[in-house]
Amino acid sequence: MRELRPLQALGLSAMAEAVYLALVEQGPQTSAELADRSALVGSPLECLQHAVAELSDIGLVSCTDGRLTAQPPRAVLEAVAERRAREARIAYESATALSRFWLDHTSGSSYVEVVDSSHGHMAVQRRVHDEAVAEVRGLSIGPVGRGDRVPEVSLGLLDALDRGIAYRVVYGADILQDPKALAVAHECVDRGEQARVFPDVALNVLVCDDRFAVVGVTAPDRTGHHSIVVQPSGLLDGLIGVFESYWRMAVPLASTGEVFESGTSSMNGHRQLLSYLSAGLTDESIARELGVSERTVARRIARMQEMLGARTRFQLGVQASRRGWL
């Protein structure tokens, strides 16, 4: 039971969930008694009081004569689910009505919507992951210009992977220069994402099935991000075509479990290295991705040049292509 986090999934705090579980397991208690329990020792009293207020607001905890009692969860949480479903229906209906009003009173396009706030940008990105039914395709410039922001997996992405949504993403090669960003990409790959790398990804795009796309842009003052939501149209078809072009040119991003083979007879190792070279990655980027030194990369390339009688890397690519290594 302790491993489950159903209340946090509903938006309650970790403390609120810990308090509820303690009350279920140990019976009615006062706030002071809760503070003495091993799982909650060291928690400030005001934090406990805030957690109790969270639980009381939705009806999961009642208080009689200063003692807190956990209430049965099913009826309470089913009511929460019904209310949220009703709110979601109203939100969709409102979006339709307001969009029609917007188009009637502005010169905006019927298939392009600009979301000019960072909060809205995050919301429409989350919508891609939540609403996808088959596939999400993405282009990511990478960590360039992120400043002090710590790279992290987009909200909802891992949940979408877990429910079987296929992900194909092309990352800019700069991701190979940023260990934290690369670790985030590897986390997604290890969970089932298909990822590739290309040196010059020009824009950030997420395509939800074939239904709509979200193009991310930096705000004019560079303090946040805005989005352009593209509905079914020639523009959406064009964005899908751009993605597929990048996908064909890009090279696979290995999962953390894949090991670079060092044997001179390893054809897979040769092909892997040649694919990175053909995509224009630098020795430094290749070394970072393969988990070896630049010297090892240079030595492997020199060895292949010797094997194929190529004096330059260009000739190496030509000879490798002729032999079907690429």
Side-chain angles (χ1 to χ4, degrees), residues 205-270:
V205 179
L206 286 174
V207 181
C208 183
D209 302 314
D210 289 330
R211 297 184 292 118
F212 68 92
V214 177
V215 182
V217 296
T218 303
D221 58 6
R222 308 191 69 80
T223 60
H225 293 82
H226 296 172
S227 294
I228 300 172
V229 182
V230 181
Q231 302 296 342
S233 60
L235 179 56
L236 178 60
D237 294 340
L239 288 172
I240 293 173
V242 168
F243 168 84
E244 295 296 347
S245 295
Y246 273 110
W247 184 257
R248 287 191 294 270
M249 295 185 293
V251 297
L253 178 70
S255 69
T256 52
E258 293 184 54
V259 179
F260 181 57
E261 300 178 47
S262 58
T264 57
S265 63
S266 170
M267 183 57 65
N268 288 337
H270 292 331

Side-chain angles (χ1 to χ4, degrees), residues 45 89 99 117 137-138 153 190 198 205 216 291 317 319:
L45 186 57
R89 289 194 299 271
S99 294
S117 71
R137 288 165 281 191
V153 179
D190 291 340
F198 190 75
V205 179
Q319 294 293 343

Side-chain angles (χ1 to χ4, degrees), residues 103 107-113 231-232:
L103 294 173
S107 58
S109 166
S110 60
Y111 58 86
V112 174
E113 179 183 356
Q231 302 296 342

Side-chain angles (χ1 to χ4, degrees), residues 5-322:
R5 297 178 179 177
L7 298 186
Q8 291 182 61
L10 290 173
L12 274 69
S13 67
M15 177 65 73
E17 185 160 76
V19 167
Y20 183 75
L21 295 179
L23 290 173
V24 171
E25 292 177 342
Q26 299 159 11
Q29 301 170 61
T30 65
S31 295
E33 289 171 337
L34 275 172
D36 291 335
R37 298 297 181 184
S38 58
L40 301 172
V41 166
S43 303
L45 186 57
E46 56 268 26
C47 291
L48 286 174
Q49 291 172 339
H50 179 73
V52 169
E54 289 183 75
L55 296 166
S56 298
D57 286 344
I58 63 172
L60 281 173
V61 164
S62 63
C63 182
T64 303
D65 297 328
R67 297 187 69 77
L68 303 169
T69 303
Q71 298 300 308
R74 180 173 294 278
V76 171
L77 296 186
E78 284 181 350
V80 172
E82 183 178 346
R83 183 175 70 252
R84 292 191 178 182
R86 183 169 59 252
E87 291 171 349
R89 289 194 299 271
I90 293 172
Y92 277 112
E93 292 169 1
S94 298
T96 300
L98 287 174
S99 294
R100 190 178 301 115
F101 183 83
W102 170 272
L103 294 173
D104 289 343
H105 293 82
T106 68
S107 58
S109 166
S110 60
Y111 58 86
V112 174
E113 179 183 356
V114 177
V115 180
D116 59 357
S117 71
S118 292
H119 178 75
H121 168 75
M122 294 176 63
V124 295
Q125 280 201 327
R126 177 64 186 264
R127 181 185 160 202
V128 171
H129 305 306
D130 289 347
E131 295 187 14
V133 296
E135 181 183 35
V136 172
R137 288 165 281 191
L139 296 175
S140 175
I141 293 174
V144 177
R146 296 179 71 101
D148 296 330
R149 183 181 167 202
V150 177
E152 57 186 359
V153 179
S154 297
L155 291 174
L157 191 156
L158 296 181
D159 290 338
L161 284 169
D162 287 343
R163 70 172 190 272
I165 304 301
Y167 273 74
R168 289 191 291 149
V169 181
V170 179
Y171 294 96
D174 287 306
I175 194 173
L176 301 179
Q177 309 297 330
D178 187 319
K180 292 181 179 179
L182 184 59
V184 168
H186 276 148
E187 180 180 359
C188 296
V189 171
D190 291 340
R191 295 284 286 272
E193 176 183 289
Q194 296 182 64
R196 295 186 178 184
V197 178
F198 190 75
D200 298 306
V201 175
L203 69 170
N204 293 311
V205 179
L206 286 174
V207 181
C208 183
D209 302 314
D210 289 330
R211 297 184 292 118
F212 68 92
V214 177
V215 182
V217 296
T218 303
D221 58 6
R222 308 191 69 80
T223 60
H225 293 82
H226 296 172
S227 294
I228 300 172
V229 182
V230 181
Q231 302 296 342
S233 60
L235 179 56
L236 178 60
D237 294 340
L239 288 172
I240 293 173
V242 168
F243 168 84
E244 295 296 347
S245 295
Y246 273 110
W247 184 257
R248 287 191 294 270
M249 295 185 293
V251 297
L253 178 70
S255 69
T256 52
E258 293 184 54
V259 179
F260 181 57
E261 300 178 47
S262 58
T264 57
S265 63
S266 170
M267 183 57 65
N268 288 337
H270 292 331
R271 285 178 172 149
Q272 186 180 31
L273 183 52
L274 285 165
S275 67
Y276 285 130
L277 287 172
S278 66
L281 272 65
T282 65
D283 288 8
E284 181 183 1
S285 296
I286 296 172
R288 184 182 296 276
E289 170 59 13
L290 298 179
V292 298
S293 68
E294 288 185 60
R295 181 175 298 179
T296 297
V297 171
R299 186 167 57 248
R300 290 295 305 278
I301 294 171
R303 189 175 301 149
M304 284 192 293
Q305 286 181 233
E306 183 180 353
M307 290 171 59
L308 298 180
R311 294 184 178 180
T312 66
R313 293 189 177 189
F314 176 78
Q315 290 177 349
L316 174 62
V318 172
Q319 294 293 343
S321 180
R322 285 176 178 173

